[in-house]
Amino acid sequence: MSQEKRHYRACNLCEALCGLEITLKDGAITRIEGDRQDPFSRGYVCPKGVALQDLHDDPNRLRHPVRRTPGGAWQRIAWESAFDEIATRLRDIQSRHGLNAVATYQGNPAVHNFGTVLSFPSFVRTLKTRNIYSASSVDQLPHMVAAHAMFGHGLLLPVPDVDRTEFFLVMGANPVVSNGSLMTAPGMSRRLEALRRRGGKLVVVDPRRTETAALADQHLFIRPGTDAYLLLGMLHVIFADGLVRLGRLAAFTDGVEALAAIVRDFPPARVAAATGISATTIETLARAFATAPVAVCYGRVGLSIQPFGTTAQWLVNALNIVTGNLDREGGAMFPKAALDPLERFTAGHLGAWKSRVRGLPEFAGELPVAALAEEILTPGKGQVRALVTIAGNPVLSTPNGKQLEAALQTLEFMASVDIYINETTRHAHIILPPTGTLEHENYAAIFHHLSVRNTVKYSPALFAPAADTRHDWQIFLELETRLASRTPFEALKAQVRRGIRLGLGVDGMLDLAFRFGPYGTGLFGDGLTLAKVKAAVHGIDLGPLQPALPARLWTKNKRIALAPELLTRDMTRVRAALDDALAEPLNGHLLLIGRRQLRSNNSWMHNSERLVRGKERCTLLVHPQDAQRHGIVSGQVVNVVSRVGSIRAPVEVSDEVMPGVVSLPHGWGHDRPGVQLDVARRYPGVSINDVTDEQLVDEASGNAALSGVPVRLFPATEAVT
Ligand SMILES: Nc1nc2c(c(=O)[nH]1)N[C@H]1C(S)=C(S)[C@@H](COP(=O)(O)OP(=O)(O)OC[C@H]3O[C@@H](n4cnc5c(=O)[nH]c(N)nc54)[C@H](O)[C@@H]3O)O[C@H]1N2
Ligand SMILES: Nc1nc2c(c(=O)[nH]1)N[C@H]1C(S)=C(S)[C@@H](COP(=O)(O)OP(=O)(O)OC[C@H]3O[C@@H](n4cnc5c(=O)[nH]c(N)nc54)[C@H](O)[C@@H]3O)O[C@H]1N2
Ligand code: SF4
Ligand SMILES: [Mo]
């Protein structure tokens, strides 16, 4: 008789880290459920966690390296020849065109994979190129730049203490659907309901009445891209009314006067028209926030992927600081993870060099991905001639995807480390597929550091990797070893390094990290070890977040910079844009924003039938007033036209969006030729990033302004000019 077996792990698809209970019979998965004994997620799971099974079984998932033939077919090749060929091609291109001729792009799942977190950075360093890109610059880069400027480290990101706050101001985030970001907190609806039950308030500021807004005491529509003005208006009221209370933060905070001087110019009456929120509402909100027993403002993707992303994230922090809500229970706090990423990753530097063509700043050694296509397409010294992508799909996820796609076709060489032949990797010459997520161990090094409680959990491999497959980290180690071996001496060093890392493995490295981390006691003593973490199969709760400042600050003087020069300087741009917004409203344009959906995960989980079936989801939401003005009705197909291109999408008329705003989800558009995703191709949708504009960026950080793109609508039957 075969026995049922239970396996426990943390889902690594999004940041929520839900505990999963996977039931197996005869070695096959029969059920995936939320793990009720996980102290953090307590049984919560979303449909994607259950779809891990589809991912595991997906016939389209690559299981061996492939090379594209000149005719466009894919042929199987051996790992060793794939590694050798990639290393040879990259080195050859670098020797002919210079080190910067090779670019890398790292996508989102890489951050969810401990092996990659450990191994990708040193692979990239070996390439010695400045053309390093990632999904950070279509996501959280403004958070990092603001944190670096204010707290001294790009990863010192305050997390809302959602379980203990009394006033939660959510701007540009929809955690009920996204399950939270830079805020690891599984089961967000439960947490928000608990907040309301204990008498707390939830206020959501969003151009769409979202699923999170549906749970709120108050929802305010805001015109996309104007959050900085709202925050300046709120801060104005707080200073003008004498509600500033830094509390213990006063002892180590600089720049209060400078901030006061800046916000003096932004009374609510001045910013109301631009934001679409009345002066009275701004005043009331500011006072309610400042006088709540404890409050926290949280701004996420909607605040980052806009022209004033860094300003907005700075002002979110500033609002929390001047009301005494930073580093305080129920406010914005700094977690203490068992492995502290601040110690392992660079604190950051901004603008130490600039992108070649447009002069966008690097941050922590990375350039903004909005510049990638032009770096490939623009001839001259330093032009990108080869690209390595890893766990990324920039054709669907970065602005002006069509331009990037055209650029990829001109490359001398491209390699991808990915599980699929998709919209991006189909342009590669060689694809190296890593093992699937259930086939390797994992530890969420980054997300335990962004969590609303201190917890630690290890995920063992569920299945042995198939014969002749490699983990992501082994792939990078092999490539690095070959690339680092320029001379016989370097080759020897690289082989020794390789031997040590193979010997330690992911587990060995993790054990050392725990032993020498904040809860460890080194090689001896009774501190945290990997063995202890492994023994607690449901995870270990290390308690609620604790105040950590000023000790945790990374600024040289151990003080918070409330008015950092980077941002006070950028106020010139903020002021000019406010004057423009007031002088010249949108002249016929609508502002296009995105929309995350529970059964999606960026661009790459649409090949699971259970996640995509049902009603068409890739629809354009249009407010009834705008629909009427354009003479369009639900179900009708329209051309959505921006500076860079045009897409056709079916309309859904809905007062869920603010008048003047239209919304389309991202990550769709799977009907491009050569995409080998059989299910996704049947539900293709269109890619919003074929109309987002690579020229629209947050200048302070270079992050793409994917939200609030000006577009026009034309019924699809009309000619588009
Ligand atoms: N318009 C608009 N655009 C957006 C956004 C938006 O809100 N609006 N959001 C942005 C955000 S926040 C993000 S993070 C980016 C995401 O941008 P990307 O990271 O570029 O895109 P993903 O869709 O996450 O693609 C992940 C890729 O990793 C592969 N993959 C999955 N698991 C593994 C693995 O274990 N190993 C390897 N090697 N590969 C794997 C998948 O097949 C897929 O090709 O998109 C951004 N783009
Ligand atoms: N189901 C699902 N979950 C996901 C993902 C997914 O694709 N699907 N992606 C994961 C990733 S990579 C990330 S980074 C997180 C993101 O997590 P969230 O930040 O919660 O993501 P969104 O749901 O895109 O929420 C952004 C909100 O900002 C609003 N918005 C747009 N423009 C503006 C603006 O100018 N001002 C304001 N105030 N609001 C604006 C949008 O309407 C939207 O409701 O989600 C993660 N979780
Ligand atoms: S919410 Fe995120 S972590 Fe939880 S099951 Fe869904 S995808 Fe996985
Ligand atoms: Mo993201």
Side-chain angles (χ1 to χ4, degrees):
M1 266 287 290
S2 64
Q3 285 275 307
E4 280 206 335
K5 245 186 76 186
R6 302 247 193 287
H7 165 91
Y8 299 96
R9 69 190 298 106
C11 175
N12 73 332
L13 292 173
C14 86
E15 300 177 37
L17 304 188
C18 298
L20 301 179
E21 179 179 280
I22 305 183
T23 308
L24 298 136
K25 203 168 174 189
D26 299 329
I29 298 175
T30 54
R31 208 167 52 238
I32 301 185
E33 291 177 307
D35 177 4
R36 278 175 296 275
Q37 298 173 78
D38 181 304
F40 193 30
S41 65
R42 299 188 186 157
Y44 177 80
V45 68
C46 90
K48 290 189 294 288
V50 179
L52 275 174
Q53 177 169 10
D54 305 347
L55 204 58
H56 182 69
D57 297 331
D58 191 340
N60 287 138
R61 185 153 70 83
L62 288 173
R63 286 169 171 86
H64 47 73
V66 286
R67 183 208 276 122
R68 186 157 49 86
T69 62
W74 292 94
Q75 70 183 183
R76 178 173 184 164
I77 51 171
W79 283 99
E80 290 303 308
S81 38
F83 291 140
D84 288 342
E85 184 170 338
I86 293 172
T88 309
R89 295 293 306 268
L90 295 181
R91 254 205 283 188
D92 168 58
I93 286 168
Q94 285 191 314
S95 65
R96 283 186 290 117
H97 302 291
L99 296 173
N100 293 335
V102 171
T104 62
Y105 173 84
Q106 185 197 30
N108 170 281
V111 187
H112 295 260
N113 178 331
F114 186 58
T116 310
V117 168
L118 281 180
S119 61
F120 188 69
S122 64
F123 160 70
V124 167
R125 274 195 299 276
T126 311
L127 287 170
K128 296 193 168 80
T129 172
R130 286 189 168 176
N131 279 301
I132 299 169
Y133 301 85
S134 81
S136 290
S137 50
V138 282
D139 186 349
Q140 82 289 355
L141 183 59
H143 289 257
M144 298 171 73
V145 171
H148 178 252
M150 300 179 79
F151 311 128
H153 197 303
L155 292 175
L156 192 51
L157 302 166
V159 174
D161 187 6
V162 57
D163 295 340
R164 291 183 293 182
T165 197
E166 296 298 329
F167 194 111
F168 194 18
L169 174 58
V170 174
M171 301 179 66
N174 186 13
V176 166
V177 165
S178 69
N179 285 296
S181 182
L182 305 186
M183 172 177 67
T184 289
M188 186 47 69
S189 313
R190 285 186 205 161
R191 292 174 200 270
L192 295 180
E193 279 155 13
L195 161 73
R196 301 281 309 274
R197 266 201 311 279
R198 64 178 180 265
K201 291 260 179 295
L202 172 64
V203 178
V204 172
V205 177
D206 199 298
R208 182 169 79 86
R209 196 168 57 251
T210 60
E211 296 77 356
T212 305
L215 296 183
D217 295 272
Q218 189 182 19
H219 165 238
L220 300 172
F221 276 137
I222 187 166
R223 177 154 320 137
T226 64
D227 300 86
Y229 308 136
L230 169 63
L231 289 158
L232 287 164
M234 288 176 67
L235 284 161
H236 175 97
V237 175
I238 289 167
F239 275 97
D241 287 10
L243 293 171
V244 172
R245 302 263 182 288
L246 274 87
R248 55 183 273 281
L249 304 176
F252 47 87
T253 299
D254 292 328
V256 181
E257 284 312 312
L259 182 67
I262 288 170
V263 304
R264 207 165 290 140
D265 293 348
F266 296 90
R270 180 160 176 229
V271 298
T275 58
I277 302 176
S278 77
T280 331
T281 308
I282 297 173
E283 280 161 20
T284 313
L285 178 62
R287 290 184 190 125
F289 188 91
T291 57
V294 60
V296 63
C297 177
Y298 162 69
R300 197 44 198 103
V301 154
L303 256 67
S304 284
I305 53 172
Q306 53 149 297
F308 298 103
T310 309
T311 312
Q313 300 301 353
W314 160 48
L315 295 172
V316 165
N317 288 336
L319 181 62
N320 288 329
I321 292 167
V322 301
T323 54
N325 283 305
L326 184 80
D327 197 40
R328 167 191 187 192
E329 289 179 13
M333 302 195 76
F334 299 103
K336 183 165 116 180
L339 182 168
D340 184 1
L342 303 191
E343 301 285 349
R344 298 187 83 90
F345 296 100
T346 162
H349 38 75
L350 178 72
W353 57 88
K354 302 275 172 71
S355 70
R356 177 181 63 107
V357 178
R358 209 189 315 172
L360 293 179
E362 64 76 41
F363 180 74
E366 275 189 28
L367 289 168
V369 70
L372 176 56
E374 70 203 18
E375 293 297 330
I376 300 174
L377 291 169
T378 312
K381 193 164 168 286
Q383 182 182 9
V384 170
R385 304 301 314 149
L387 174 68
V388 181
T389 71
I390 173 238
N393 193 2
V395 166
L396 293 193
S397 55
T398 69
N400 201 351
K402 284 245 166 76
Q403 185 194 30
L404 179 61
E405 202 162 28
L408 298 184
Q409 285 165 27
T410 69
L411 289 170
E412 277 184 40
F413 183 69
M414 174 170 160
S416 293
V417 181
D418 206 287
I419 54 177
Y420 288 126
I421 299 177
N422 65 16
E423 298 75 11
T424 296
T425 61
R426 72 191 178 95
H427 298 289
H429 296 89
I430 293 181
I431 308 176
L432 303 175
T435 51
T437 195
L438 299 178
E439 294 162 340
H440 59 78
E441 64 282 88
N442 200 30
Y443 172 69
I446 303 297
F447 303 110
H448 283 294
H449 164 74
L450 298 168
S451 173
V452 304
R453 270 187 89 84
N454 292 318
T455 63
V456 55
K457 180 160 179 163
Y458 175 84
S459 300
L462 170 55
F463 298 112
D468 197 32
T469 57
R470 302 283 190 283
H471 301 305
D472 278 286
W473 70 273
Q474 292 169 326
I475 294 173
F476 291 111
L477 185 56
E478 292 307 324
L479 292 174
E480 178 188 327
T481 306
R482 282 165 174 77
L483 284 159
S485 305
R486 288 183 170 83
T487 62
F489 179 62
E490 284 176 345
L492 181 69
K493 268 200 326 201
Q495 283 300 341
V496 171
R497 242 189 349 251
R498 175 173 176 273
I500 294 172
R501 280 157 65 184
L502 282 174
L504 279 171
V506 167
D507 274 7
M509 292 190 256
L510 191 53
D511 188 40
L512 286 176
F514 286 159
R515 284 174 184 276
F516 292 93
Y519 300 88
T521 47
L523 289 180
F524 309 103
D526 60 358
L528 199 71
T529 61
L530 180 61
K532 287 187 186 168
V533 178
K534 275 186 172 177
V537 293
H538 306 289
I540 302 175
D541 183 24
L542 297 166
L545 306 186
Q546 307 287 343
L549 301 190
R552 192 109 171 96
L553 291 170
W554 276 64
T555 42
K556 283 197 191 75
N557 57 6
K558 286 269 177 201
R559 296 174 68 80
I560 297 172
L562 188 56
E565 208 237 320
L566 168 75
L567 289 149
T568 53
R569 214 178 338 119
D570 198 41
M571 282 304 297
T572 319
R573 192 172 63 98
V574 177
R575 287 172 208 274
L578 179 59
D579 295 339
D580 287 354
L582 295 174
E584 180 198 327
L586 287 166
N587 76 53
H589 284 95
L590 297 164
L591 296 179
L592 175 65
I593 64 168
R595 174 165 99 250
R596 278 183 164 71
Q597 298 171 319
L598 191 58
R599 288 183 293 138
S600 281
N601 195 24
N602 298 320
S603 76
W604 66 280
M605 286 200 67
H606 294 149
N607 213 39
S608 158
E609 188 79 47
R610 80 176 97 193
L611 294 183
V612 285
R613 69 175 161 231
K615 198 165 127 244
E616 156 95 76
R617 299 215 304 267
C618 190
T619 57
L620 185 78
L621 299 184
V622 181
H623 188 273
Q625 284 170 20
D626 296 314
Q628 199 187 18
R629 200 157 51 83
H630 286 79
I632 49 181
V633 295
S634 281
Q636 188 172 347
V637 174
V638 291
N639 286 310
V640 184
V641 184
S642 74
R643 182 190 76 85
V644 308
S646 150
I647 48 177
R648 291 156 78 100
V651 166
E652 214 178 312
V653 176
S654 165
D655 65 2
E656 211 177 280
V657 282
M658 185 177 185
V661 171
V662 290
S663 163
L664 190 75
H666 80 280
W668 298 87
H670 306 299
D671 54 356
R672 287 159 145 91
V675 170
Q676 297 194 12
L677 299 165
D678 297 339
V679 178
R681 290 189 69 91
R682 283 193 276 113
Y683 304 85
V686 291
S687 176
I688 187 175
N689 288 323
D690 287 345
V691 290
T692 58
D693 189 336
E694 86 287 359
Q695 294 295 326
L696 300 177
V697 295
D698 165 34
E699 283 173 27
S701 65
N703 201 74
L706 299 164
S707 196
V709 174
V711 295
R712 289 175 189 275
L713 302 188
F714 300 91
T717 44
E718 276 178 33
V720 182
T721 47

